[in-house]
Amino acid sequence: MNPHRLLHRTVTVLALLAGLSTAAFASKDKPLIGLSLDTLKEERWQQDRDTFVAAAQKLGATVIVQAANSDDTRQVSDVESLISRGVDVLVIVPHNGDAMNRAVKSANEAKIPVIAYDRLILNADLTCYLTFDNVKVGEAQASYAVAHLPAGRKARIVRIYGAKTDHNALMFKQGQDNILLPLIKAGKIEVVHEDWATDWKPDEAKKIMDAAIARAGTNIDAVVVSNDGTAGGAIQALLEEHLDGKILVTGQDADLAACQRILRGTQAMTVYKPLKSLATLAAGVAVDVARGKPLAPSGTLDNGFKQVPSIFEKVIAVDKDNLMDTVVKDGFHTASELK
Ligand code: BGC
């Protein structure tokens, strides 16, 4: 047998014996990246994954993707399997920002750097965190609602937050609070119902909206909802009461269905986060980290363990007036898809 083939065969056999794939023989030239996602259910995460993988491949890397279906135990074992496959760097979107620090510890012990993507991992030794300005997302949602509330009387609003296990959900609420609390204190706004949607599920949001109507009646001016998936759930509840389009609803992500609802008038706004630029940036950072190149963070964020070098991207509030100039102009959705 030709000596090269023999060597390749020996390496493959050894790799299989060690429970590894040949891809585990990563090098700095061709880094192996492990991407562990909480979920792929929402449209945005599919876009994040596709952009990240394509950008990393362009830079010579290979990406192994795992998605945990909102299950902490599964996500920890996903990360452990990526570690055992010899990845050079891990990129994690945690389901639970607290629970994932165990997985980061295992990576740290294996000397594998960890990058948190979009969602922070708490009390963990992260190399970098890339995200959008999440407080600004919440501020944009609440400011939009406030600007469109009726004048001359106390406005009645419902607040639907995201998953309590997601640090971002707290940041969105914090941003909303920055705008709403002074007005609530001044007696200009009353929150007639509020709750957290477990795992960001649209069904949970529908239940919260049903409960709000049961408790406070249909005399509601706005529903400040933290993302488009849950906005869809809330709007379903409104539709059943023939109130869709009559009560302002906010969102986030510029999901296709949400953009269609904006054009139809059943959802007032969304917050567009240019995912392509964040995912492309993250792929570049992951490859640089694997190659030992220095980072260029735009700031830091305290995760309870350290000031994590962080990169924050800007967000854009979108309603029917600027949908074409933002989401469509960027190619995030095409005009024909929106019809
Ligand atoms: C993300 C949002 C997303 C939500 C649900 C958050 O952490 O920042 O864009 O809608 O999770 O997946």
Side-chain angles (χ1 to χ4, degrees):
M1 186 185 287
N2 142 348
H4 289 293
R5 282 193 61 190
L6 179 63
L7 178 65
H8 182 258
R9 223 164 143 184
T10 315
V11 165
T12 307
V13 170
L14 286 175
L16 291 174
L17 284 176
L20 306 171
S21 76
T22 41
F25 294 93
S27 69
K28 303 273 180 219
D29 276 352
K30 296 186 188 308
L32 184 63
I33 303 173
L35 174 62
S36 164
L37 298 162
D38 159 21
T39 175
L40 279 170
K41 261 186 250 148
E42 278 133 341
E43 179 186 305
R44 74 151 284 186
W45 301 116
Q46 298 167 22
Q47 290 230 26
D48 287 279
R49 174 202 54 195
D50 294 347
T51 309
F52 183 93
V53 170
Q57 281 170 350
K58 252 197 195 154
L59 297 169
T62 303
V63 187
I64 309 174
V65 182
Q66 307 266 27
N69 201 20
S70 306
D71 178 337
D72 291 337
T73 314
R74 178 158 162 197
Q75 193 167 23
V76 170
S77 82
D78 280 353
V79 170
E80 271 157 9
S81 110
L82 291 168
I83 293 171
S84 70
R85 289 174 79 175
V87 295
D88 295 299
V89 55
L90 274 161
V91 179
I92 303 179
V93 182
H95 167 249
N96 182 322
D98 255 324
M100 279 311 279
N101 60 27
R102 260 174 56 208
V104 178
K105 244 193 200 132
S106 308
N108 293 156
E109 279 159 19
K111 306 249 175 306
I112 299 170
V114 180
I115 296 169
Y117 180 77
D118 194 76
R119 298 180 181 166
L120 190 60
I121 303 172
L122 301 169
N123 302 310
D125 192 358
L126 298 172
T127 299
C128 179
Y129 174 43
L130 289 107
T131 191
F132 292 95
D133 190 330
N134 294 308
V135 172
K136 284 261 158 54
V137 171
E139 288 176 353
Q141 294 164 329
S143 302
Y144 191 93
V146 165
H148 294 83
L149 287 175
R153 67 166 169 83
K154 190 185 244 188
R156 291 162 57 84
I157 68 165
V158 172
R159 300 184 65 183
I160 302 181
Y161 313 119
K164 259 193 194 156
T165 46
D166 174 4
H167 186 260
N168 281 359
L170 312 180
M171 310 278 275
F172 303 144
K173 178 177 186 298
Q174 188 188 317
Q176 294 163 7
D177 283 348
N178 290 347
I179 307 296
L180 297 175
L181 290 187
L183 297 163
I184 294 168
K185 274 201 194 115
K188 296 195 166 137
I189 291 179
E190 181 188 352
V191 179
V192 296
H193 190 67
E194 63 190 318
D195 210 343
W196 298 81
T198 309
D199 285 343
W200 290 100
K201 284 190 191 139
D203 276 5
E204 291 287 322
K206 179 175 184 300
K207 280 188 211 151
I208 297 169
M209 196 63 226
D210 285 336
I213 295 170
R215 181 169 158 190
T218 55
N219 179 12
I220 294 164
D221 297 300
V223 191
V224 179
V225 190
S226 293
N227 84 342
D228 287 340
T230 49
I235 290 166
Q236 184 59 35
L238 294 176
L239 189 140
E240 288 172 14
E241 298 289 331
H242 307 291
L243 288 171
D244 52 313
K246 296 186 182 133
I247 295 176
L248 182 151
V249 177
T250 68
Q252 161 186 202
D253 287 337
D255 280 355
L256 180 59
C259 293
Q260 289 166 337
R261 288 194 294 265
I262 290 175
L263 290 183
R264 258 187 266 129
T266 55
Q267 181 172 329
M269 65 87 72
T270 186
V271 179
Y272 169 48
K273 306 199 291 193
L275 302 179
K276 284 188 182 147
S277 91
L278 191 73
T280 306
L281 204 63
V285 169
V287 169
D288 282 351
V289 166
R291 291 180 179 152
K293 289 199 189 151
L295 293 171
S298 52
T300 60
L301 199 77
D302 189 349
N303 75 340
F305 177 82
K306 70 187 224 190
Q307 292 290 335
V308 183
S310 301
I311 293 172
F312 303 101
E313 287 276 284
K314 291 209 173 69
V315 301
I316 304 161
V318 166
D319 68 2
K320 61 177 179 348
D321 295 336
N322 65 346
L323 188 64
M324 293 298 163
D325 287 339
T326 52
V327 172
V328 175
K329 195 169 168 201
D330 258 18
F332 194 70
H333 300 305
T334 62
S336 59
E337 280 172 330
L338 290 177
K339 279 180 194 142

